Amino acid sequence: MSRIEIREDRCKGCLLCTTVCPKEIIKQADRFNQHGYKPAEVPAGDMKKCTGCASCATICPDVAITVYKTKKKAKKGASHG
Amino acid sequence: MASGDKLFLKGNEAIARGALAAGCQCFFGYPITPQNDIPEYLSKALPDRGGAFVQAESEVAAANMLLGATACGVRAMTSSSSPGISLKQEAISYMAGSELPAIIVNMNRGGPGLGDIGPSQGDYFQSTRGGGHGDYRLLVLAPATCQEAYDLTRESFDLAFQYRNPVMILGDAILGQMKEPVLTAPDRPADPAEARDWSLDGAVGRGPRLLKSLFLQDGALADQNRMLQAKYEAMRAEVRWECFETEDAELVVCAYGTIARIAKSAIRKLRKKGLKVGLFRPITLYPFPSEALAKLVKPGRKFLTVEQNLGQMVEDVRLSLCGLATSEFFSIYPGNLPVPDDFDEPIARALGL
Amino acid sequence: MYQDEELVFSCPQVVADRPTHYCPGCHHGVAHRLVGELLEEMGLVEKTIMVTAIGCSVFLYNYLLVDAVEAPHGRAPAVATGVKRAKPDKFVFTYQGDGDLASIGMAEIMHCANRGERVSVVFVNNTVYGMTGGQMAPTTLIGQKTTTCPGGRCAEREGMPIKMAEIIASLGGSAYVARTALNNVKNINKTKKCLRKAFEVQTSGLGFGFVEVLSACPTNWKMSAIKANERIANEMIPYFPLGVFKDATADVTGEAAGKGEEGK
Ligand SMILES: Cc1ncc(C[n+]2csc(CCOP(=O)(O)OP(=O)(O)O)c2C)c(N)n1
Ligand code: SF4
Ligand code: SF4
């Protein structure tokens, strides 16, 4: 499963990430973070849709998003040399 | 350059050679009379020695290039004359605030405005009070001869690095253009470690370094100014002056630079006529040799300040005399070329003759 | 991190782990990150002397952990010249806003480029003076309202917005000149490629590298970050075309040498 981590204390709630997610899973939370911004979040259950494309992290001006991508399974019978 | 050569040099060239002897590696300038011999000489001499010479697009740019080079802990210099020095003030203020050891040569010409290209001492206030915005001081050296121009320039780099402060060499059109024999001294290349603790050379094996003059945090700018003030106090150790025939003098003439030198000729002449006149010549204009001057105060002794401006150093002279004595002032107007005879009448008047 | 996953995006180490002072949606943060990533990927972190300018990015030195010197407003290219001439083996770049570079610092940037100084310039064009509160900049678009052209910039009164990339490309000493934008993922990735080239012409000794980056200032544009990105696409790019305006690394007869390809 690919996934993202949003550092809530870094998020300024600009919502740019929400516009670039191809799966449209990033939403604005209702709560405020310590700086008074409503941070971005991925609602429970939606994370499994993440493709690990890193579009959200690329556009985030505050480097608040870390992206992990599921490793591709090694193909069987790959050539050796 | 072999040491101990006696060369017949223009003051401007003496300054350029003094800088090379001190290990100056970069020069940034912009043409203006009467200092053009300095960049012209260095445009060949510096590249020949593996250094850098840049004719900048303006004095503003030249001084900011100097800021960049000195931030790297490299011995570097700029030179100009009055209107150009006005344009350099922005970077000079930043360099003072960022504590950068830059050398700035001003071959003072007549002002205000475009003025003329002749000698003047109209930039005394600008040089000694900071010149740009904010509270800062330059260490200001005022040579009177070509030899002194050479020696003080050679030494100025050491002072700049010792105090991490810009140093100004303040000459004028006479000093820059006159030729005299100059005894050159051995090259003394910069100590490679002199800027090791603060200069920028890439953060290898240490945290990043930052040279700046912006201090926004609560109390930070006050701390910075307090530190600078302490440094300017410490610079008092560098005061230099010359006393000539002051021992029995009834009148002490106070003058600096080439005007002091012309005054000296007048004093020699008047001494022969039996007039008891001496000369006090500040060599450092900042710090001003106030204590040395105050020590000359004696009952009945008079003081006369002569400058080629409308009266600038005379304020420092009067402050130094602490009310124990005062100083008359005689102005040689910028635009007039002074000769020794000009001094006869004001000296006689000051003596009450 | 789990065993079956790999880290594909994280903050570069040279970018300080601290919140920035920028407004929400401000593109300075994106530009900083791209520069930081490149310094790491190109192995330049320990060779870098950064020259910061005056504008909202004045605290750049708090965010990029490299040696830095602060230049007076507009003078970063002159300061960078002094740094590079004193230390030719270091990697030197300036990071400047449009007020800084295209107004007060016009002489310095043009002559630095014309001399072909081996330095790189990151030029953040957000069409306003951000730091001082949104006054008109030399790049403010016709009709754009700012605090000092409240009725909108008017060509007759204030002249046309200055196209810096085109000007810099016309100068002899520039080796690589491009204009990019930070309004979408594709353009951000393109910006990184262009910045890499602008850095490479310095490291290979070819000459001066310059990237004009069209950026958003949502605060002074008085719009949301999302609307600001739309404005870049709809208003800025039509006037400030994206593309590579000069590339000394390309075959002169090749496509990259001429007018840049249009971007969206
Ligand atoms: C000599 C001088 N004049 C004016 C200023 C005030 N000032 C600070 S930042 C700035 C404008 C910055 O705008 P820009 O370069 O567009 O950068 P931005 O803030 O938009 O990123 C000005 C005019 C200054 N610091 N120094
Ligand atoms: S782009 Fe970054 S700062 Fe903006 S809402 Fe998303 S995570 Fe937060
Ligand atoms: S004022 Fe504009 S340029 Fe400055 S931090 Fe805010 S959004 Fe960025």
Side-chain angles (χ1 to χ4, degrees):
Chain A
M1 183 191 81
S2 295
R3 65 190 173 94
I4 63 169
E5 267 174 21
I6 301 177
R7 290 179 65 176
E8 191 161 319
D9 60 322
R10 283 300 164 76
C11 175
K12 291 177 182 159
C14 71
L15 303 184
L16 289 179
C17 53
T18 65
T19 66
V20 297
C21 175
K23 300 292 171 189
E24 298 183 16
I25 57 174
I26 309 176
K27 301 279 183 290
Q28 187 162 33
D30 273 336
R31 62 184 179 281
F32 291 95
N33 68 9
Q34 69 207 76
H35 305 294
Y37 298 118
K38 282 186 175 174
E41 66 173 4
V42 177
D46 280 352
M47 193 65 88
K48 58 181 179 298
K49 297 184 199 157
C50 176
T51 63
C53 71
S55 294
C56 55
T58 302
I59 207 162
C60 174
D62 289 277
V63 209
I65 304 178
T66 310
V67 184
Y68 301 92
K69 195 176 173 109
T70 311
K71 279 182 193 158
K72 287 207 183 84
K73 294 218 173 75
K75 274 186 195 148
K76 273 182 193 162
S79 70
H80 295 278
Chain B
M1 160 75 46
S3 66
D5 285 346
K6 198 153 204 173
L7 302 171
F8 194 54
L9 298 178
K10 260 186 171 182
N12 281 337
E13 196 183 333
I15 287 175
R17 285 177 184 259
L20 289 179
C24 177
Q25 289 179 48
C26 298
F27 179 93
F28 309 98
Y30 187 84
I32 186 169
T33 309
Q35 59 81 56
N36 289 322
D37 316 273
I38 300 175
E40 282 166 5
Y41 184 83
L42 292 174
S43 66
K44 172 145 185 13
L46 264 176
D48 282 354
R49 295 172 162 227
F53 171 89
V54 182
Q55 178 168 321
E57 58 271 30
S58 67
E59 287 88 351
V60 173
N64 281 291
M65 290 175 188
L66 182 64
L67 187 162
T70 52
C72 300
V74 162
R75 292 192 162 201
M77 174 170 106
T78 188
S79 71
S80 188
S81 181
S82 310
I85 296 293
S86 292
L87 283 182
K88 289 185 204 278
Q89 293 302 337
E90 173 192 62
I92 294 174
S93 171
Y94 275 73
M95 288 191 285
S98 311
E99 294 195 274
L100 297 178
I103 306 300
I104 304 121
V105 177
N106 180 5
M107 301 310 268
N108 199 337
R109 62 184 250 183
L114 201 48
D116 67 6
I117 56 169
S120 160
Q121 296 186 326
D123 299 351
Y124 179 92
F125 280 154
Q126 188 200 47
S127 314
T128 58
R129 268 59 177 170
H133 61 284
D135 279 307
Y136 69 90
R137 301 293 178 148
L138 311 177
L139 208 152
V140 185
L141 303 168
T145 65
C146 293
Q147 182 69 54
E148 210 172 39
Y150 177 87
D151 294 338
L152 289 177
T153 306
R154 186 165 164 273
E155 229 187 305
S156 63
F157 288 86
D158 293 345
L159 292 169
F161 276 81
Q162 182 184 338
Y163 291 98
R164 270 190 70 184
N165 203 70
V167 173
M168 174 167 279
I169 314 280
L170 183 61
D172 65 15
I174 298 179
L175 182 68
Q177 298 305 318
M178 75 185 173
K179 266 193 159 181
E180 289 185 296
V182 173
L183 192 64
T184 60
D187 279 1
R188 44 172 175 194
D191 168 5
E194 68 183 346
R196 197 173 44 196
D197 296 339
W198 57 265
S199 62
L200 307 183
D201 56 356
V204 182
R206 59 163 173 80
R209 280 182 184 157
L210 170 61
L211 294 168
K212 61 161 181 154
S213 58
L214 178 69
F215 296 92
L216 284 183
Q217 256 157 11
D218 228 13
L221 184 62
D223 286 347
Q224 174 76 356
N225 273 309
R226 200 172 294 120
M227 184 277 293
L228 290 177
Q229 188 183 39
K231 177 162 87 175
Y232 304 144
E233 275 306 311
M235 272 164 28
R236 299 224 127 262
E238 305 304 330
V239 280
R240 287 160 207 215
W241 69 92
E242 179 196 357
C243 284
F244 173 72
E245 304 268 21
T246 49
E247 197 75 345
D248 64 341
E250 286 167 24
L251 175 75
V252 173
V253 175
C254 302
Y256 76 92
T258 47
I259 294 298
R261 186 176 181 177
I262 299 165
K264 206 181 207 177
S265 306
I267 288 165
R268 279 204 190 94
K269 191 184 68 184
L270 294 170
R271 277 267 167 191
K272 281 190 190 135
K273 289 188 185 165
L275 297 188
K276 291 189 169 170
V277 189
L279 172 74
F280 180 79
R281 175 173 75 94
I283 298 170
T284 52
L285 301 184
Y286 188 90
F288 193 78
S290 299
E291 286 173 26
L293 179 56
K295 279 192 188 137
L296 292 182
V297 175
K298 261 192 187 171
R301 180 175 276 175
K302 291 172 174 165
F303 293 84
L304 168 68
T305 304
V306 183
E307 298 174 74
Q308 192 172 23
N309 55 38
L310 305 188
Q312 300 190 20
M313 184 179 81
V314 65
E315 292 191 4
D316 285 336
V317 169
R318 286 173 183 155
L319 281 170
S320 305
L321 297 175
C322 303
L324 300 169
T326 188
S327 173
E328 300 289 315
F329 174 69
F330 180 72
S331 171
I332 294 161
Y333 289 98
N336 289 341
L337 211 61
V339 293
D341 289 349
D342 292 343
F343 292 73
D344 296 359
E345 201 200 292
I347 286 176
R349 208 179 328 123
L351 278 168
L353 299 176
Chain C
M1 195 159 72
Y2 305 113
Q3 268 194 340
D4 64 339
E5 64 183 20
E6 55 185 332
L7 183 64
V8 290
F9 193 102
S10 64
C11 184
Q13 291 205 323
V14 72
V15 176
D17 187 13
R18 64 163 70 110
T20 67
H21 70 289
Y22 298 114
C23 307
C26 171
H27 284 175
H28 274 305
V30 182
H32 290 13
R33 173 177 63 77
L34 296 180
V35 171
E37 284 175 359
L38 286 169
L39 294 181
E40 282 185 358
E41 289 165 22
M42 296 174 73
L44 295 171
V45 172
E46 294 189 330
K47 280 184 75 178
T48 296
I49 299 177
M50 169 171 82
V51 183
T52 64
I54 315 286
C56 279
S57 63
V58 68
F59 297 122
L60 179 59
Y61 46 69
N62 287 338
Y63 309 131
L64 283 182
L65 303 176
V66 293
D67 273 9
V69 55
E70 168 191 82
H73 195 25
R75 318 294 179 223
V79 173
T81 299
V83 170
K84 190 70 179 187
R85 296 297 183 112
K87 297 274 174 191
D89 56 331
K90 299 297 168 196
F91 179 77
V92 182
F93 77 94
T94 73
Y95 183 109
Q96 305 173 255
D98 44 275
D100 190 88
L101 181 140
S103 190
I104 192 168
M106 188 60 136
E108 285 76 14
I109 190 63
M110 287 190 59
H111 285 275
C112 182
N114 196 56
R115 284 189 304 267
E117 297 293 340
R118 270 58 172 169
V119 301
S120 311
V121 172
V122 183
F123 168 41
V124 175
N125 175 1
N126 59 15
T127 73
V128 280
Y129 283 54
M131 188 189 218
T132 41
Q135 293 84 0
M136 186 183 70
T139 47
T140 295
L141 292 173
I142 296 301
Q144 182 183 342
K145 289 180 176 153
T146 73
T147 56
T148 50
C149 54
R153 181 179 184 150
C154 154
E156 230 167 79
R157 229 179 10 235
E158 284 106 16
M160 292 296 286
I162 290 180
K163 298 184 178 184
M164 283 311 299
E166 287 84 339
I167 292 174
I168 298 299
S170 74
L171 300 170
S174 54
Y176 181 81
V177 182
R179 183 184 289 116
T180 66
L182 296 177
N183 61 321
N184 59 39
V185 173
K186 179 174 148 250
N187 280 342
I188 292 172
N189 290 333
K190 185 81 206 288
T191 299
K192 185 168 171 185
K193 287 204 181 84
C194 293
L195 285 170
R196 183 188 294 275
K197 278 251 177 177
F199 289 3
E200 278 170 358
V201 293
Q202 173 180 176
T203 55
S204 63
L206 268 177
F208 178 87
F210 182 95
V211 182
E212 173 171 347
V213 185
L214 303 184
S215 305
C217 174
T219 301
N220 288 302
W221 295 359
K222 301 189 173 29
M223 52 181 81
S224 71
I226 295 171
K227 282 268 175 283
N229 273 4
E230 288 168 10
R231 176 180 185 257
I232 292 179
N234 300 334
E235 295 177 35
M236 281 179 83
I237 293 176
Y239 184 81
F240 294 116
L242 304 187
V244 177
F245 293 86
K246 195 175 198 178
D247 185 355
T249 66
D251 174 2
V252 269
T253 57
E255 43 159 358
K259 195 71 187 290
E261 79 264 37
E262 289 287 305
K264 282 210 193 127

